[in-house]
Amino acid sequence: MARLNMVEAIDQCLLQEMQRDERVIVLGEDVGRDGGVFRVTEGLFERFGPQRVIDTPLAESGIVGMAIGMAIAGFRPVAEIQFSGFAYPAYDQLVCHAARMRNRSRGEFTVPLVVRTPYGGGIRALEHHSESMEAVFVHVPGLKVVVPADPYEAKGLLASAVRDPDPVIFFEPARVYRAIRTEVPEEPYTIPLGKARMVREGRDVTLIAWGAQVRIIREAAERLAAEGVAEAEVVDLRTLSPFDHETVIDSVKKTGRAVVVHEAPRTGGFGAEVSAQIMERAVLHLEAPVVRVTGFDTVPPLAKLEDYYQPDVEAVVEAVRESLRF
Amino acid sequence: MARLNMVEAIDQCLLQEMQRDERVIVLGEDVGRDGGVFRVTEGLFERFGPQRVIDTPLAESGIVGMAIGMAIAGFRPVAEIQFSGFAYPAYDQLVCHAARMRNRSRGEFTVPLVVRTPYGGGIRALEHHSESMEAVFVHVPGLKVVVPADPYEAKGLLASAVRDPDPVIFFEPARVYRAIRTEVPEEPYTIPLGKARMVREGRDVTLIAWGAQVRIIREAAERLAAEGVAEAEVVDLRTLSPFDHETVIDSVKKTGRAVVVHEAPRTGGFGAEVSAQIMERAVLHLEAPVVRVTGFDTVPPLAKLEDYYQPDVEAVVEAVRESLRF
Amino acid sequence: MPIRPLVSYSIERVEVLREDGTVDEELMPSLSADEIQRLYEHMVLTRRFDERMFKLQRQGRLGTFARVTGQEGAQIGAVFALRPDDWLVPAFRENGALLWRGITMTQLLQYWSGDERGGAFPRALRTLPISIPVGTHLLHAVGIGWAMKEAGEDSAVLTFFGEGATSTGDFSEALNMAGVFQVPVVFFCQNNQYAISVPFTRQTAAPTVAQKALGYGIFGVQVDGNDVFAVYRATREALERARSGKEPTLIEAHTYRVTDHTTSDDARRYRSDEEVAAWLKRDPIERLAHYMRAQGFLDEAREAEIAAEADRKVAEAVEAFESIPPPEPEEIFRHVFAQKTRPLEEQEAALLARWERRR
Amino acid sequence: MPIRPLVSYSIERVEVLREDGTVDEELMPSLSADEIQRLYEHMVLTRRFDERMFKLQRQGRLGTFARVTGQEGAQIGAVFALRPDDWLVPAFRENGALLWRGITMTQLLQYWSGDERGGAFPRALRTLPISIPVGTHLLHAVGIGWAMKEAGEDSAVLTFFGEGATSTGDFSEALNMAGVFQVPVVFFCQNNQYAISVPFTRQTAAPTVAQKALGYGIFGVQVDGNDVFAVYRATREALERARSGKEPTLIEAHTYRVTDHTTSDDARRYRSDEEVAAWLKRDPIERLAHYMRAQGFLDEAREAEIAAEADRKVAEAVEAFESIPPPEPEEIFRHVFAQKTRPLEEQEAALLARWERRR
Ligand SMILES: Cc1ncc(C[n+]2csc(CCOP(=O)(O)OP(=O)(O)O)c2C)c(N)n1
Ligand SMILES: Cc1ncc(C[n+]2csc(CCOP(=O)(O)OP(=O)(O)O)c2C)c(N)n1
Ligand SMILES: [Mg+2]
Ligand SMILES: [Mg+2]
């Protein structure tokens, strides 16, 4: 099996989905001849031509709004927003139309749209290029939110997103893009949306994350095991909406402790929802309060201070120790 | 003292703030000659003229973006977005600029801007006119989020917002606008941002809400007391960002139980944050898990189904009973 | 400033039917007597329906809605040029256009009464549901136009909006993309001079909406919006350009909102009765009737007959509407996603249980 | 389509300095020899700084940034017309303009190295910080222009952006509002033919950016952006119109991005070397030098001196930059609000404690 990085895995997925279903089209800024600023759509333009791989004008609301129309008329657009920090101009189209057309028309018109966008920090980028605002999309009824953690996951989850009959926003952790390789089967496969992944079994504490933080909690788990501190269970949520509370709750019922990690600002981040659901569904099983390890309620800092902002392995290990000490 | 409704209280506050500080100006769609679609700016145009009460073109991003420029240059704009369901086109300007200009320029340029907007359901309105998406603003670093519960509160909180050196989004619960009257002192006064209000003391359970739901939890508390079920403590958060966890935590430490109520969609609503903080700061004092009584993860329904969607007194009472039974 | 001219443009205005009911024969589109009758009948139906809806609203049986009265010339003239396989992408003031496309009055009443089931415009009618956020739906029209072209269909897309919408960013992004991708879309602006209280002169410093086309390299034209023949002619030509050349067009129909903005508005707060009265004299239905009478297509008896027939249809629809049982709470959850998610299942169950307990 | 013309427009292009270094005497703006020298010196400084930054970036001492090389004529010609009490609202490719306004090279290096303290452009300079989200800052310029007018100052506002920005909704909302409120703002588009990989012809179907002004009822003009005299002349006139008549203007400077989009880009993926080579021949600095030599303002010795002087200043700035100590983590929390909120205090304390434990 080939070992691909996440850029290659997503590129391959797009290629295969476009082959599989000619209604699938890709659009966005620089996705065509340039192959995307991260090269995620590399080769698609040469393969499928400008009709199916569309370089758009610089207009995020326009990209999503136009894609909504394409989807209504029977296509399956995969729109790229160049960085998730530039998705806000499209927020209105996502909230008011992509997520509601089905409801408004009682199922007569639907929006099978995927919005792909690189997200998160850790890449020493300019302002607005390190955003992690998934929570403001999770709160939108009618929108699905997916965050893959590694290349294998990315390919399978994106295939499901493309085939899904409803709008999905697909956050690609930019720091993972070229950071790791995993085995990725050549043939197409899907990973169902709405089902979390048990990455590592354990009995002492449940570590919960998504996207780039999955690697961090996994390393933290290994360190904790190596140091004989705890056997941690590692859960990758994969999709934040719909949220698979069962996997989380089952695990917490077993371990009695939970640490949830995200780089998004703390207040109102998805960690709060995870914590609230554990409260509601498993409070009697808790040995310690759920701990959140998160970014701060600040603007994500520029490169020189980024390491202070990002949750890291040590911070997670510390949080587990804190939980164990409780 | 005059008994005013919320529309009158806000109108009076704007008038007084404009008198007090000539840098204060009001802008938005139909705020001028028409006095605003809810008549909140009634009389201001006649009093201060088109230079300070500005009817804008129909462009929400434009309204907020232009107001940011005004604020940078030394004015204190109070922008109206006609309904909060039309605030999404301005989300980018709020997130990327209003909330960040101070940080980006290290304090050289600041944005003392207030964005007022009617919000919430219960008014039998058209689609998009009953939104309650405060959580997606709370999650934005650099933005303050205020939700007054009654006319007295509205006047004092808005005065603070107008005088605040940073951007504030001020959600006015449309169903409260003309539903109740309170005593409102004629002279200007302020209510500090970031401080919750203890509406009613109790010992058995803490009820937490903001905006229109404050009246509901208060009624629920009265009903619970009347029926001898419980003495509920009632907390009006007033500002969601910054969040005054102390008032909430102190109360929960006393009562051991909490019910948080909002009409916003459940997943990722601000109730999750309240629950998570209680988990983190007071879990050992809890006699029962925090209960959330909320709207659903659906599009807010149109008039005929609205009553099913909105949390009501009975639902809160039920939640308290559930908490007590735990 | 000096120097060499790069590009030059002018914007034209089309008028066919004069206020005295005569027409410019050269410009008169070819329409049979029967077609003209149908135009008239539908304009009358639209007006009568609008008036009845207004009464129902005042009785509390409907929620807020935006009236079409006075804009029938613009609205019906435009949709009259559509084929059934074309798409219509409406805003919120298009009851007349929607009826023409086959959406029933009963369904519209249901929708405006606050029952979401009324929004189920059958897909086969290629008519999108009502779009409330101003300006946003123009982009959907562009996407649909793109899809028609890509699919090799020669259908076009007609989208309606007001002059207020032209101030939104989405308007601009839509027209720009339409130009870049050369999609078969007709952007039809009903410039009724007001966006709630804001007059056109405060909406933009451009003297016409039509010239906004120039910034996007597409064709723009103004028509007298109370002149149903001019509207029909311009729209038909634009649709043909869309179909054959895949060229988008911006049409500005110069008209007037003679009613309040919506049933929640009071237009006397911001404009004079004289202004309204002057425009009432230019009523599009009356102007067409004038013409038809001169042509012998209409006499008093026939006029009364058409009105009565319209009223009968409206009455029937209202009756059918009133017999619709109220929606069940399950409707709230039914169409969020194709398949209900676990959280939604739980929330629905909780709601139903809650209301069960209250019975 | 037939009928009566409503409005007519044409868009002009201004050129003063020919490629051979001669000028159109009639159009030549009045500039003293000394002013022309300063123009030239600043263009050279901008270029040398840009080149040095590029090297620093390649050495990993700076992060991604957007180069100005090739656009000095447009950028410096425009700011040269500003008064200190005017405002500048930049995008992200304006290092040359920022330097002219008094932002130091050291500060710019600090900013582009990923140190937020570099963003502290002193308020007194009336120069806004760098704005990354394309198109968004034009609205701030409108608001500032409104404020200047309302405050009775006769200062104007100049804002820069690329042709890619003209596709955004905010561009349109900004120009429309500028027209409605008649604010003293000059919208200066550096049309460098590319938005990353997307060429101008795919950005819009309009043949010029300048004509986009027509949709907003404001004045639009194109200038040869590699002709610093034409740029200066057009900008000065626009600023005068802004000051006296409170009229906004859209200027399109027709130029070319001879470098990659940013240091993260590889332009060979989407355009030909020949195209670049052809534009390199139209270099704005060289064209000005040509003129100056003919006028006797410049000879080889002076040219070398100016270059050396620029290099010296750049080297000094780099040295100062390199001696700046790295930012403390407290910076993250310092300027979120005027006063730190409780949550921020707690989070800051937690962060500091965490890193304390790690020492
Ligand atoms: C984005 C947005 N902002 C504000 C509103 C509130 N609103 C509804 S209609 C309207 C005026 C629309 O004017 P115009 O586009 O001219 O259409 P008309 O009502 O005249 O048909 C406004 C401001 C809205 N629906 N959407
Ligand atoms: C809203 C937004 N979308 C996307 C980007 C990513 N991006 C940065 S620069 C750029 C192209 C800008 O082109 P143009 O406006 O012509 O300016 P130029 O870079 O040519 O100076 C893009 C797409 C961004 N910064 N902001
Ligand atoms: Mg209008
Ligand atoms: Mg460019």
Side-chain angles (χ1 to χ4, degrees):
Chain A
M1 224 183 308
R3 289 184 66 78
L4 303 184
N5 66 28
M6 192 183 273
V7 166
E8 294 159 348
I10 295 172
D11 198 0
Q12 186 181 86
C13 174
L14 291 171
L15 179 102
Q16 293 177 344
E17 291 303 307
M18 291 180 80
Q19 282 176 324
R20 195 180 157 275
D21 182 348
E22 60 173 24
R23 298 169 306 169
V24 176
I25 56 131
V26 162
L27 74 162
E29 295 157 14
D30 307 293
V31 297
R33 202 174 294 281
D34 194 37
V37 295
F38 282 106
R39 308 286 171 250
V40 173
T41 55
E42 172 108 42
L44 300 181
F45 182 83
E46 291 70 21
R47 179 87 171 229
F48 299 104
Q51 283 335 97
R52 293 186 64 198
V53 185
I54 306 169
D55 276 326
T56 66
L58 205 167
E60 282 77 13
S61 184
I63 292 167
V64 172
M66 183 175 165
I68 289 170
M70 292 165 157
I72 287 172
F75 284 81
R76 294 192 156 255
V78 181
E80 174 175 305
I81 298 293
Q82 204 157 72
F83 283 88
S84 72
F86 308 130
Y88 310 124
Y91 194 62
D92 187 51
Q93 284 289 344
L94 284 166
V95 173
C96 291
H97 292 301
R100 295 194 179 191
M101 192 57 74
R102 176 186 291 281
N103 188 72
R104 184 179 301 146
S105 69
R106 314 316 286 161
E108 294 289 331
F109 298 99
T110 61
V111 183
L113 161 70
V114 177
V115 175
R116 293 181 35 247
T117 186
Y119 114 118
I123 54 167
R124 302 277 184 267
L126 296 173
E127 199 191 346
H128 307 284
H129 290 69
S130 305
E131 304 280 294
S132 186
M133 292 285 276
E134 63 273 23
V136 306
F137 296 90
V138 172
H139 193 51
V140 177
L143 205 58
K144 296 184 180 174
V145 180
V146 180
V147 195
D150 70 31
Y152 176 87
E153 290 286 309
K155 182 174 172 183
L157 288 166
L158 182 57
S160 292
V162 173
R163 300 178 199 182
D164 198 272
D166 286 303
V168 178
I169 180 157
F170 193 83
F171 286 108
E172 301 171 0
R175 70 196 285 192
V176 179
Y177 266 159
R178 294 178 184 278
I180 50 170
R181 290 182 177 275
T182 61
E183 310 259 293
V184 176
E186 171 66 24
E187 57 281 4
Y189 58 94
T190 59
I191 296 173
L193 307 186
K195 194 80 205 76
R197 173 171 67 116
M198 182 59 67
V199 176
R200 182 188 196 278
E201 311 243 340
R203 58 171 185 273
D204 301 322
V205 59
T206 304
L207 307 183
I208 302 152
W210 51 94
Q213 276 64 50
V214 172
R215 195 149 67 107
I216 287 166
I217 57 173
R218 186 179 208 161
E219 275 181 42
E222 279 155 24
R223 174 123 39 114
L224 288 163
E227 294 177 8
V229 178
E231 283 303 326
E233 189 135 304
V234 173
V235 177
D236 168 11
L237 288 188
R238 280 177 171 161
T239 65
L240 305 187
S241 172
F243 169 50
D244 173 13
H245 63 77
E246 274 183 349
T247 303
V248 170
I249 297 303
D250 287 350
S251 173
V252 173
K253 283 186 176 162
K254 184 166 77 175
T255 63
R257 295 174 201 278
V259 175
V260 51
V261 184
H262 58 69
E263 65 179 284
R266 183 178 189 81
T267 300
F270 193 69
E273 180 64 32
V274 174
S275 178
Q277 294 224 11
I278 294 173
M279 162 82 83
E280 283 154 11
R281 300 177 194 266
V283 75
L284 290 183
H285 298 82
L286 285 180
E287 311 276 344
V290 178
V291 183
R292 289 186 285 172
V293 179
T294 68
F296 308 116
D297 295 339
T298 68
V299 179
L302 299 182
K304 301 232 163 177
L305 291 173
E306 209 179 1
D307 289 343
Y308 290 99
Y309 185 87
Q310 291 283 333
D312 58 15
V313 174
E314 233 171 297
V316 176
V317 168
E318 237 188 67
V320 171
R321 288 185 192 277
E322 180 193 323
S323 175
L324 290 167
R325 266 198 312 271
F326 186 82
Chain B
M1 223 182 309
R3 289 183 67 78
L4 304 186
N5 66 28
M6 193 185 271
V7 166
E8 293 160 348
I10 295 172
D11 197 2
Q12 186 180 85
C13 174
L14 290 171
L15 178 103
Q16 293 177 344
E17 292 304 308
M18 290 180 80
Q19 282 176 324
R20 196 179 156 275
D21 182 348
E22 61 175 24
R23 299 169 306 167
V24 177
I25 55 132
V26 163
L27 74 162
E29 295 156 15
D30 309 292
V31 297
R33 201 173 295 281
D34 194 37
V37 294
F38 283 106
R39 308 286 171 250
V40 173
T41 54
E42 172 107 43
L44 300 180
F45 182 85
E46 290 70 21
R47 180 83 172 229
F48 299 104
Q51 283 334 97
R52 293 185 66 198
V53 185
I54 306 169
D55 276 324
T56 66
L58 205 167
E60 281 78 10
S61 184
I63 291 167
V64 173
M66 182 175 165
I68 289 170
M70 293 165 156
I72 287 172
F75 283 81
R76 295 193 155 253
V78 181
E80 173 175 305
I81 298 293
Q82 204 158 73
F83 282 89
S84 72
F86 307 130
Y88 310 125
Y91 194 62
D92 188 53
Q93 285 289 344
L94 284 165
V95 174
C96 290
H97 293 302
R100 295 193 180 192
M101 192 57 73
R102 174 187 292 281
N103 188 70
R104 183 180 302 145
S105 69
R106 316 315 287 160
E108 294 289 332
F109 298 99
T110 61
V111 183
L113 161 70
V114 177
V115 175
R116 293 180 35 246
T117 186
Y119 115 118
I123 55 166
R124 304 278 185 263
L126 295 174
E127 200 191 343
H128 307 284
H129 290 70
S130 305
E131 304 279 293
S132 184
M133 292 286 277
E134 63 272 24
V136 306
F137 296 90
V138 171
H139 192 51
V140 177
L143 204 58
K144 296 184 180 173
V145 180
V146 180
V147 195
D150 70 31
Y152 176 87
E153 291 285 309
K155 182 175 173 183
L157 288 166
L158 182 58
S160 293
V162 172
R163 299 178 198 183
D164 198 272
D166 286 302
V168 178
I169 181 157
F170 193 83
F171 286 108
E172 302 170 0
R175 70 196 285 191
V176 179
Y177 266 158
R178 295 179 184 277
I180 50 172
R181 293 183 174 273
T182 61
E183 310 260 291
V184 176
E186 171 66 26
E187 58 280 5
Y189 58 94
T190 59
I191 297 173
L193 307 188
K195 196 80 205 72
R197 172 172 67 117
M198 183 60 67
V199 177
R200 181 188 197 280
E201 311 243 341
R203 59 173 183 271
D204 301 321
V205 59
T206 305
L207 307 183
I208 304 152
W210 50 93
Q213 275 65 48
V214 171
R215 195 150 64 110
I216 287 167
I217 58 173
R218 187 181 209 158
E219 274 181 41
E222 279 156 23
R223 173 124 38 116
L224 288 162
E227 293 177 9
V229 178
E231 282 303 325
E233 188 134 306
V234 172
V235 177
D236 168 10
L237 288 188
R238 279 178 172 160
T239 67
L240 305 188
S241 173
F243 169 50
D244 173 13
H245 62 78
E246 274 183 348
T247 303
V248 170
I249 297 302
D250 287 350
S251 173
V252 173
K253 282 186 178 162
K254 183 167 76 176
T255 63
R257 298 175 201 275
V259 174
V260 50
V261 184
H262 57 69
E263 65 179 283
R266 183 176 189 83
T267 300
F270 194 69
E273 181 64 33
V274 174
S275 178
Q277 294 224 12
I278 293 173
M279 162 82 84
E280 284 154 12
R281 301 178 193 266
V283 75
L284 290 183
H285 298 82
L286 285 181
E287 311 277 344
V290 178
V291 183
R292 290 186 283 172
V293 178
T294 69
F296 308 116
D297 295 340
T298 67
V299 180
L302 300 182
K304 300 231 163 177
L305 291 173
E306 211 180 0
D307 289 343
Y308 291 100
Y309 185 87
Q310 292 282 334
D312 57 16
V313 174
E314 231 172 299
V316 176
V317 168
E318 236 187 65
V320 171
R321 288 186 192 275
E322 180 193 324
S323 175
L324 290 168
R325 266 198 312 271
F326 187 83
Chain C
M1 208 165 285
I3 334 267
R4 119 179 126 77
L6 279 178
V7 285
S8 297
Y9 302 98
S10 69
I11 293 290
E12 294 178 326
R13 174 175 167 111
V14 186
E15 295 173 4
V16 176
L17 176 57
R18 304 190 190 90
E19 298 196 25
D20 66 3
T22 62
V23 297
D24 182 328
E25 290 298 344
E26 242 178 85
L27 301 179
M28 179 66 189
S30 73
L31 283 166
S32 66
D34 185 58
E35 285 174 316
I36 293 173
Q37 294 263 13
R38 282 205 293 138
L39 257 179
Y40 176 77
E41 282 166 20
H42 194 71
M43 286 166 72
V44 170
L45 177 66
T46 298
R47 172 79 52 98
R48 306 298 265 213
F49 182 53
D50 200 59
E51 286 167 352
R52 184 63 195 274
M53 277 185 71
F54 182 66
K55 288 200 194 102
L56 290 168
Q57 197 281 336
R58 284 299 187 253
Q59 292 160 1
R61 287 141 92 193
L62 296 181
T64 301
F65 78 100
R67 299 190 60 178
V68 56
T69 288
Q71 298 180 210
E72 297 92 345
Q75 205 168 103
I76 313 301
V79 288
F80 202 79
L82 286 177
R83 295 192 323 218
D85 65 335
D86 291 329
W87 290 74
L88 179 72
V89 181
F92 50 81
R93 196 183 291 284
E94 273 77 57
N95 280 342
L98 295 173
L99 288 180
W100 179 256
R101 295 286 291 178
I103 314 301
T104 65
M105 286 185 273
T106 308
Q107 177 157 17
L108 289 173
L109 290 167
Q110 190 181 11
Y111 176 80
W112 293 112
S113 76
D115 181 343
E116 24 264 297
R117 294 172 301 173
F121 297 179
R123 183 175 174 85
L125 298 182
R126 292 195 158 185
T127 299
L128 255 52
I130 283 150
S131 182
I132 305 275
V134 171
T136 55
H137 58 297
L138 278 65
L139 285 162
H140 311 160
V142 173
I144 294 171
W146 180 92
M148 290 302 102
K149 180 176 166 185
E150 176 66 12
E153 290 196 40
D154 81 334
S155 320
V157 186
L158 176 70
T159 182
F160 283 111
F161 50 97
E163 83 294 347
T166 68
S167 297
T168 66
D170 278 3
F171 165 84
S172 176
E173 297 192 4
L175 270 75
N176 191 54
M177 286 175 135
V180 168
F181 296 117
Q182 290 290 292
V183 290
V185 177
V186 179
F187 298 97
F188 193 98
C189 178
Q190 299 182 69
N191 180 351
N192 62 8
Q193 311 305 322
Y194 284 90
I196 308 188
S197 72
V198 178
F200 181 53
T201 51
R202 299 298 300 164
Q203 196 61 248
T204 182
T208 72
V209 164
Q211 74 195 75
K212 290 177 184 280
L214 303 176
Y216 314 107
I218 73 176
F219 186 73
V221 64
Q222 189 186 80
V223 296
D224 179 342
N226 288 13
D227 167 350
V228 70
F229 294 144
V231 171
Y232 171 70
R233 183 195 167 96
T235 311
R236 202 194 54 197
E237 288 190 20
L239 285 168
E240 276 160 20
R241 250 196 324 276
R243 273 192 246 288
S244 54
K246 306 303 172 199
E247 279 178 59
T249 300
L250 171 61
I251 298 176
E252 172 186 12
H254 187 242
T255 182
Y256 193 78
R257 197 196 77 210
V258 297
T259 65
D260 293 334
H261 165 66
T262 63
T263 50
S264 309
D265 179 47
D266 176 5
R268 286 167 310 176
R269 293 174 68 93
Y270 50 79
R271 67 183 186 186
S272 70
D273 292 347
E274 295 75 58
E275 185 185 299
V276 180
W279 275 92
L280 280 171
K281 291 207 192 95
R282 309 182 56 195
D283 185 67
I285 298 184
E286 195 35 48
R287 208 193 294 182
L288 176 58
H290 224 42
Y291 167 82
M292 289 170 70
R293 283 184 214 114
Q295 298 290 315
F297 300 166
L298 196 68
D299 56 20
E300 264 183 43
R302 181 77 191 112
E303 221 174 310
E305 205 176 63
I306 290 172
E309 174 66 9
D311 287 345
R312 196 189 51 72
K313 286 186 185 160
V314 170
E316 240 178 59
V318 171
E319 204 173 316
F321 157 63
E322 298 201 317
S323 72
I324 298 172
E328 297 289 330
E330 287 90 333
E331 283 296 335
I332 298 176
F333 300 90
R334 192 156 281 155
H335 295 291
V336 182
F337 294 112
Q339 239 197 310
K340 238 168 254 169
T341 59
R342 272 296 301 280
L344 286 172
E345 277 173 357
E346 285 190 11
Q347 292 170 25
E348 180 175 19
L351 172 67
L352 296 181
R354 185 200 288 172
W355 284 80
E356 189 53 46
R357 284 193 297 277
R358 294 188 187 182
R359 289 238 167 84
Chain D
M1 208 164 286
I3 335 329
R4 117 180 127 77
L6 277 178
V7 285
S8 297
Y9 303 99
S10 67
I11 293 290
E12 295 178 324
R13 175 173 166 113
V14 186
E15 295 173 5
V16 176
L17 176 57
R18 303 191 190 90
E19 297 196 25
D20 64 4
T22 62
V23 296
D24 182 327
E25 291 298 343
E26 240 177 89
L27 302 179
M28 180 66 188
S30 73
L31 282 165
S32 67
D34 184 58
E35 285 173 316
I36 292 172
Q37 295 263 13
R38 283 203 293 138
L39 257 180
Y40 176 78
E41 283 166 20
H42 195 71
M43 286 166 72
V44 170
L45 178 67
T46 298
R47 173 79 52 98
R48 306 297 267 212
F49 183 52
D50 201 57
E51 286 167 352
R52 182 65 193 274
M53 278 185 72
F54 184 65
K55 289 200 193 100
L56 291 169
Q57 197 279 339
R58 285 300 187 253
Q59 292 161 2
R61 287 142 90 195
L62 295 182
T64 301
F65 79 98
R67 299 189 60 180
V68 56
T69 288
Q71 298 180 211
E72 297 91 343
Q75 204 167 104
I76 313 301
V79 288
F80 201 79
L82 286 177
R83 294 192 323 217
D85 65 335
D86 290 330
W87 289 75
L88 180 72
V89 181
F92 50 81
R93 196 184 290 286
E94 273 77 57
N95 280 342
L98 295 174
L99 288 179
W100 179 256
R101 294 287 292 179
I103 314 300
T104 67
M105 285 185 273
T106 308
Q107 178 157 19
L108 289 174
L109 289 167
Q110 190 180 12
Y111 176 79
W112 292 112
S113 76
D115 180 344
E116 25 264 296
R117 292 172 303 172
F121 298 179
R123 182 175 175 85
L125 298 181
R126 292 196 158 185
T127 298
L128 254 51
I130 283 148
S131 180
I132 305 274
V134 171
T136 54
H137 57 297
L138 278 66
L139 284 162
H140 311 160
V142 173
I144 295 171
W146 180 93
M148 290 303 102
K149 180 177 166 184
E150 175 66 12
E153 291 196 39
D154 81 334
S155 319
V157 186
L158 176 70
T159 182
F160 283 111
F161 51 97
E163 84 294 347
T166 68
S167 297
T168 66
D170 277 3
F171 165 84
S172 177
E173 297 191 4
L175 270 76
N176 191 54
M177 286 175 134
V180 168
F181 297 117
Q182 290 291 292
V183 290
V185 177
V186 179
F187 297 96
F188 193 97
C189 178
Q190 297 182 69
N191 180 351
N192 62 7
Q193 310 305 321
Y194 285 90
I196 310 189
S197 72
V198 178
F200 181 53
T201 51
R202 300 297 299 163
Q203 196 61 246
T204 183
T208 71
V209 164
Q211 75 195 74
K212 290 177 185 281
L214 303 177
Y216 314 107
I218 74 176
F219 186 72
V221 63
Q222 190 186 77
V223 296
D224 179 343
N226 288 13
D227 168 348
V228 70
F229 295 145
V231 170
Y232 170 71
R233 184 196 166 92
T235 312
R236 203 196 52 199
E237 287 190 20
L239 285 168
E240 276 160 20
R241 248 196 325 276
R243 273 190 246 291
S244 54
K246 307 302 173 198
E247 279 178 59
T249 301
L250 171 62
I251 298 176
E252 172 186 12
H254 186 241
T255 182
Y256 193 78
R257 198 194 78 209
V258 297
T259 66
D260 294 333
H261 166 66
T262 64
T263 51
S264 310
D265 179 47
D266 176 4
R268 287 166 311 177
R269 293 174 67 94
Y270 51 80
R271 66 185 187 185
S272 71
D273 292 347
E274 295 75 59
E275 185 185 299
V276 180
W279 274 93
L280 280 171
K281 291 207 192 96
R282 310 183 57 195
D283 186 68
I285 298 184
E286 196 34 50
R287 208 193 294 182
L288 176 58
H290 223 45
Y291 167 85
M292 289 171 68
R293 282 183 215 115
Q295 299 288 317
F297 298 167
L298 197 68
D299 56 21
E300 265 182 43
R302 182 77 192 112
E303 218 173 311
E305 207 175 64
I306 290 171
E309 175 66 9
D311 288 345
R312 196 188 54 69
K313 286 186 187 160
V314 170
E316 242 178 58
V318 172
E319 207 173 316
F321 158 63
E322 296 198 320
S323 72
I324 297 173
E328 299 288 333
E330 288 89 333
E331 282 296 335
I332 298 175
F333 301 90
R334 192 155 282 156
H335 295 291
V336 183
F337 294 111
Q339 237 196 313
K340 238 168 255 170
T341 58
R342 272 296 302 279
L344 286 172
E345 277 175 357
E346 284 189 12
Q347 292 172 24
E348 181 175 19
L351 172 68
L352 296 180
R354 184 200 289 174
W355 284 81
E356 188 54 47
R357 285 192 297 277
R358 294 187 188 181
R359 289 240 166 81

